[in-house]
Amino acid sequence: MTSLLSVKNLSVFYGASAQAVENVSFEVSPGKVTALLGANGAGKSSIMKAVGGLIPARGEIIFDGAPISHFPVRERVRRGIVYVPERREIVGELSVRENLVLGGYQISAAERRNRIALVLDLFPEIASKVDRGAWRLSGGEQQMLAIGRGLMSGPRLLLLDEPSLGLAPLLVRRVFERLGAIRSAGELAIVLVEQNLRMTMRLCDELHFLRSGRIVGHKRADELKDETARQQAVDAYLGAT
Ligand code: ATP
């Protein structure tokens, strides 16, 4: 299958000497979920931000057959790449609906209405609170809103940075269930950064393991079907966790 996203020899530097990502290469197919796993500071967020256009990087980023490294965030969003950040950067003073509208600033009003309906269908927890201030949502609901806002522009590639961060296990499961539903609904591809290894391994099609800015291992989901294989991958690539 042709790749939707192809990252080749990506390197990210913070300042002249601090290299956070070193020659990372990976491919993402349409409709697939790809995970980047690794300890704190391994470079996962830096890769995601580089693909989303939020920070500069060296190397090649090809999306849908075209090089996109020189494009600003806005153009990447227009082409279908959306980054959902690690911290829940929703606007508390705005309502849930207004936050969703912010995510769909590049689409027509009619499309926006349709997309809001789709997002609220996917996350009924926030549907009943759509006209309330976003600050009133729980942590899990805010995370749902952040993902929903990411879906508003109708992306083909969603870059999700730690969607389960700071959530209770039950809510993590719920967020992951919805991610599974988004995935099965169609052609949307997801790149996921997660600390939650078990659930990530169950959800993802491809997994890349990172250490100190480099990819040190790769597994397909079918290679991690049983618990022994999963534990071996964790031990081999991530050390004891
Ligand atoms: P975490 O799970 O903690 O977010 P991560 O795997 O996503 O970790 P990055 O956030 O990409 O890792 O960080 C990779 C390296 O780059 C780390 O050494 C980090 O300290 C450094 N780094 C990240 N952001 C900056 C920044 N804005 N300025 C300087 N160094 C940074």
Side-chain angles (χ1 to χ4, degrees):
M1 190 190 284
T2 47
S3 293
L4 179 65
L5 175 75
S6 175
V7 172
K8 292 182 189 160
N9 297 320
L10 188 84
S11 291
V12 175
F13 295 84
Y14 293 104
S17 56
Q19 184 162 11
V21 176
E22 204 177 329
N23 285 327
V24 159
S25 302
F26 65 96
E27 312 265 328
V28 177
S29 301
K32 299 286 181 198
V33 183
T34 300
L36 304 178
L37 298 173
N40 283 339
K44 309 177 297 292
S45 295
S46 299
I47 295 170
M48 304 273 270
K49 287 176 188 160
V51 173
L54 285 97
I55 56 171
R58 289 191 198 154
E60 271 185 278
I61 305 171
I62 316 277
F63 183 70
D64 204 15
I68 56 150
S69 301
H70 54 297
F71 288 136
V73 175
R74 192 186 172 83
E75 177 59 19
R76 296 188 202 204
V77 171
R78 200 188 66 75
R79 286 171 180 249
I81 303 179
V82 168
Y83 173 70
V84 178
E86 181 174 353
R87 287 176 304 278
R88 295 179 271 275
E89 289 178 12
I90 61 168
V91 187
E93 306 86 77
L94 297 182
S95 70
V96 169
R97 188 190 304 279
E98 286 163 340
N99 270 278
L100 291 175
V101 167
L102 280 184
Y105 68 97
Q106 291 184 333
I107 58 176
S108 70
E111 259 183 287
R112 240 183 343 251
R113 274 194 298 276
N114 286 340
R115 292 261 161 74
I116 289 177
L118 282 174
V119 167
L120 297 182
D121 213 32
L122 188 64
F123 296 119
E125 290 88 345
I126 60 172
S128 57
K129 302 175 179 174
V130 72
D131 292 312
R132 289 197 199 158
W135 63 272
R136 294 177 66 184
L137 299 182
S138 69
E141 291 164 348
Q142 288 186 8
Q143 190 56 41
M144 290 173 192
L145 176 56
I147 297 172
R149 193 175 64 177
L151 290 170
M152 282 296 295
S153 61
R156 297 164 66 201
L157 176 66
L158 201 59
L159 304 164
L160 284 181
D161 209 336
E162 297 210 38
S164 72
L165 194 75
L167 299 187
L170 184 68
L171 280 171
V172 174
R173 210 167 308 137
R174 215 172 284 163
V175 168
F176 271 77
E177 268 167 27
R178 306 301 156 73
L179 292 178
I182 297 171
R183 193 249 318 248
S184 10
E187 286 297 277
L188 176 73
I190 300 174
V191 180
L192 182 68
V193 161
E194 259 302 331
Q195 305 272 351
N196 195 318
L197 300 180
R198 303 283 148 183
M199 282 203 218
T200 306
M201 284 179 174
R202 278 201 289 272
L203 176 77
C204 292
D205 302 293
E206 306 277 340
L207 298 100
H208 298 282
F209 297 87
L210 280 128
R211 196 181 283 158
S212 306
R214 293 168 183 231
I215 290 185
V216 292
H218 167 247
K219 291 277 177 200
R220 290 189 320 271
D222 60 2
E223 297 174 282
L224 296 173
K225 280 219 167 93
D226 63 90
E227 182 50 34
T228 317
R230 287 198 282 263
Q231 191 56 50
Q232 276 169 357
V234 169
D235 293 344
Y237 301 129
L238 303 177
T241 50

